[in-house]
Amino acid sequence: MQWLREDAGVTAIVMAAAWSGYPALLTADVREGPRLMAERLHATLTGLPRDIQVHILTDVPRPRRSLTHCVMGHGGIVLRKPPDDCDALDRDDVEAWHEPTTAALERVAFAYDHVWVHDSVEAFCNEKTCDTFLEGRLLYRDMNHLRRNLTERERSILVDRLRIRAVVAAIEGAG
């Protein structure tokens, strides 16, 4: 923080995390966790110079269950029809899981004119579902994380679907 305040030449920061996991790490009270998370984020943002843009990406849709049984073989190639629990995620369920933390992020950002929240669920999902497969390959490596071994094409598609290029373009356009 001191480095940023001492004019490090930084014009923008992009924050991304598995936000929905933080409240449980902060407290056992499910209602109190998002408030504590928002309080700490507010303290962080208050400490940043106001001329630095801050773009916060909400949670990527998380299955919250292991999907590794949905694939067989090397590289995530589907060798048989996946079981029914490998179908796309229900968007309403995903939004319900993310809502407390997404709402907290949005409340905090609203207090600042240099902070924007970008909703990953809105960007990635269609009206009813959120994909678990991309280019015919499982997108997740476990119940919360995207695979690290995405192909270049898969990464490009994911970046576009999550509107990350648009965030970068907005940063470059303002700079």
Side-chain angles (χ1 to χ4, degrees), residues 10 34 50 77 86 89 93 95 104 118 126 133 137 144:
V10 174
R50 286 180 107 45
I77 299 169
C86 297
L89 307 174
D93 290 345
E95 286 182 331
H118 305 275
N126 64 36
F133 285 80
R137 291 170 24 117
N144 296 314

Side-chain angles (χ1 to χ4, degrees), residues 87-156:
D87 292 340
L89 307 174
D90 180 84
R91 180 175 172 159
D92 290 340
D93 290 345
V94 170
E95 286 182 331
W97 172 248
H98 295 278
E99 193 281 327
T101 52
T102 296
L105 295 172
E106 290 171 343
R107 278 192 308 276
V108 171
F110 187 74
Y112 300 88
D113 59 2
H114 67 291
V115 179
W116 296 269
V117 173
H118 305 275
D119 190 336
S120 297
V121 173
E122 178 65 33
F124 184 79
C125 304
N126 64 36
E127 290 179 15
K128 296 191 182 278
T129 62
C130 306
D131 292 334
T132 54
F133 285 80
L134 186 63
E135 294 286 282
R137 291 170 24 117
L138 185 64
L139 187 55
Y140 298 93
R141 69 178 169 100
D142 61 20
M143 64 182 52
N144 296 314
H145 298 93
L146 298 174
R147 285 189 0 257
R148 292 182 186 161
N149 66 339
L150 295 171
T151 66
E152 189 67 36
R153 178 167 166 71
E154 290 167 334
R155 281 192 299 264
S156 181

